[in-house]
Amino acid sequence: MRISELSRVSGVPTATIKYYLREGLLHSGELTSPTQAQYGDSHVARLRLIRALIGPARLSITTTKSVLDAIDAPQGSVLELLGRASMALTGPEGNDDPQAARDLIDQLGWLVEPGSPALGDLDAALQAIDQAQLQLIKGGLPRYADLLHQIAQAEMDTVPTDTAEAAVRQAVLGTVLIEPLLIALRRLALQDAAIRKFGQADL
Amino acid sequence: MRISELSRVSGVPTATIKYYLREGLLHSGELTSPTQAQYGDSHVARLRLIRALIGPARLSITTTKSVLDAIDAPQGSVLELLGRASMALTGPEGNDDPQAARDLIDQLGWLVEPGSPALGDLDAALQAIDQAQLQLIKGGLPRYADLLHQIAQAEMDTVPTDTAEAAVRQAVLGTVLIEPLLIALRRLALQDAAIRKFGQADL
């Protein structure tokens, strides 16, 4: 199909498609004349992925390009592909794993690649909690970990394995879009719990 | 005690204490001469709270002042106090509750004040998920809600009720410091779940 048809099918304006082509987010069509190219289903699928990453997931063009580059690498299993996409999302690999984070992960028995950026995030969170001498919930860190692992396992069950685009779309969008949901739901759940605990006696 | 003693007891440098006094974060001591003031236990407690909010919780001076102003309001139950602190933390009250968020909260049977800012956050998250046509986990939103409510209830059980400072300290720090922990743990749990799901067959 021509670019005007691709625009109609995908719902993405022609000017935007041309911008994605220039930025290297979308692969070129097949040239049928010096000024005309043909596009196919792979372009429609890629546009859908780009729009989801830039739109609801609010990734920058640069991060979107990194995620797409990661899944375009010529070879790799679904696991490697998800790993590369997640790395593109969260930043460069660390050097040595921070001790407190690695200890907790090992204690939990989780399989986590050395150098994973999220280990650095976990370590920073643990340090802040420690520094503030925050009183943790009954059951402590393992209880938080257990509840989040239940979520993660259910989420991984939603990742399709038929195409790379579909797998990365679900995994990356799931990572990025569910985080604000969890934060908002927790704050509202805290309100509910506070009203139930302090509401009756005080008001 | 004099300011030098307050500095020693609290571990906060004198210059920093003076800065907090100027900014209105810390209440003045009792003047014993035109150039000298006496400080007491209430100053030590307040300094501990300020340091926790600015340090590990990384609140700005402005947000810290809003949280402190909220708990300094002359009257109110523990619940009102927590509500004001949470409001100071998350931003101004909204006008009308967004429909999708309010519907979900009502469906869950949660008690949430009208105009709560977190309802706006929830609504934005729901819109993004909807727009991206993200495949949710089995059990959908109620399952996420249930897991987070388990967390919130356990967290509310850690909030002490003996002093306003202690209650707000635990509630505000808990809100702010646990969020990065949840995000980091989920990303690592997703890695573990991905390796367990895709690792064997693909590698």
Side-chain angles (χ1 to χ4, degrees):
Chain A
M1 68 190 100
R2 312 239 308 246
I3 196 166
S4 54
E5 170 87 359
L6 178 62
S7 168
R8 202 186 53 73
V9 170
S10 65
V12 179
T14 308
T16 309
I17 295 177
K18 286 182 177 168
Y19 172 65
Y20 293 156
L21 286 165
R22 279 199 306 278
E23 292 293 322
L25 300 180
L26 184 67
H27 48 296
S28 309
E30 197 185 332
L31 280 183
T32 51
S33 85
T35 58
Q36 226 166 65
Q38 285 288 321
Y39 300 90
D41 288 346
S42 69
H43 294 89
V44 177
R46 175 54 69 105
L47 277 175
R48 199 173 297 132
L49 178 58
I50 295 172
R51 295 302 273 185
L53 295 175
I54 291 178
R58 291 189 203 186
L59 300 192
S60 67
I61 292 281
T62 312
T63 306
T64 300
K65 179 121 176 40
S66 306
V67 169
L68 294 174
D69 285 349
I71 71 167
D72 287 339
Q75 56 196 359
S77 62
V78 174
L79 181 62
E80 286 166 339
L81 190 146
L82 292 180
R84 285 198 301 266
S86 143
M87 214 67 103
L89 205 62
T90 49
E93 259 177 275
N95 293 318
D96 294 331
D97 288 351
Q99 198 59 46
R102 173 48 71 184
D103 286 351
L104 176 60
I105 293 303
D106 289 347
Q107 181 198 333
L108 294 168
W110 289 4
L111 303 172
V112 168
E113 292 287 317
S116 168
L119 285 171
D121 298 340
L122 175 60
D123 203 67
L126 293 175
Q127 271 185 37
I129 288 167
D130 193 54
Q131 199 185 332
Q133 299 181 283
L134 183 73
Q135 172 76 38
L136 283 182
I137 56 174
K138 205 174 153 206
L141 294 171
R143 182 153 174 218
Y144 279 115
D146 175 57
L147 289 167
L148 288 158
H149 200 274
Q150 288 181 44
I151 292 178
Q153 206 149 11
E155 286 169 337
M156 203 42 68
D157 286 342
T158 66
V159 174
T161 52
D162 42 354
T163 71
E165 258 87 4
V168 166
R169 183 182 189 282
Q170 176 68 15
V172 171
L173 289 181
T175 301
V176 176
L177 296 183
I178 295 298
E179 287 174 1
L181 176 78
L182 298 181
I183 298 303
L185 279 177
R186 174 166 170 270
R187 291 202 172 194
L188 292 163
L190 281 169
Q191 261 194 58
D192 176 78
I195 291 176
R196 287 179 198 281
K197 180 172 182 185
F198 297 111
Q200 309 293 18
D202 279 297
L203 287 179
Chain B
M1 68 190 101
R2 312 241 304 251
I3 196 167
S4 55
E5 170 87 359
L6 178 62
S7 167
R8 201 186 54 71
V9 170
S10 65
V12 179
T14 308
T16 308
I17 294 178
K18 287 182 178 166
Y19 173 66
Y20 294 156
L21 286 165
R22 278 199 308 278
E23 293 293 322
L25 299 179
L26 184 66
H27 47 296
S28 308
E30 196 184 335
L31 280 183
T32 52
S33 86
T35 58
Q36 224 166 68
Q38 286 288 320
Y39 301 90
D41 289 345
S42 69
H43 294 89
V44 177
R46 175 55 69 105
L47 278 176
R48 199 173 297 131
L49 178 58
I50 295 172
R51 296 301 273 184
L53 295 176
I54 290 178
R58 293 187 202 186
L59 299 192
S60 67
I61 293 280
T62 312
T63 306
T64 300
K65 180 125 175 38
S66 306
V67 169
L68 294 174
D69 285 349
I71 72 168
D72 287 339
Q75 56 196 359
S77 63
V78 174
L79 180 63
E80 285 166 339
L81 191 145
L82 292 180
R84 284 198 301 266
S86 142
M87 213 66 103
L89 205 62
T90 48
E93 258 177 275
N95 292 320
D96 293 330
D97 288 352
Q99 198 59 46
R102 172 48 72 183
D103 285 350
L104 176 61
I105 292 305
D106 289 347
Q107 181 198 335
L108 295 168
W110 289 5
L111 303 172
V112 169
E113 292 287 319
S116 169
L119 286 172
D121 298 340
L122 175 60
D123 203 67
L126 292 176
Q127 271 184 37
I129 287 167
D130 192 54
Q131 199 185 332
Q133 298 180 284
L134 184 73
Q135 172 76 37
L136 283 183
I137 58 174
K138 206 176 153 205
L141 294 171
R143 182 152 175 218
Y144 279 115
D146 175 58
L147 290 166
L148 288 159
H149 200 273
Q150 287 181 44
I151 293 178
Q153 206 150 11
E155 286 170 337
M156 203 43 68
D157 286 343
T158 67
V159 174
T161 52
D162 43 352
T163 71
E165 258 87 6
V168 166
R169 182 183 189 282
Q170 177 69 16
V172 170
L173 288 181
T175 300
V176 176
L177 296 182
I178 294 299
E179 287 174 2
L181 177 77
L182 298 181
I183 298 302
L185 279 177
R186 173 167 170 269
R187 291 203 173 195
L188 292 163
L190 280 170
Q191 262 193 58
D192 175 77
I195 292 176
R196 286 178 199 280
K197 180 171 183 187
F198 297 111
Q200 309 292 21
D202 279 298
L203 289 178

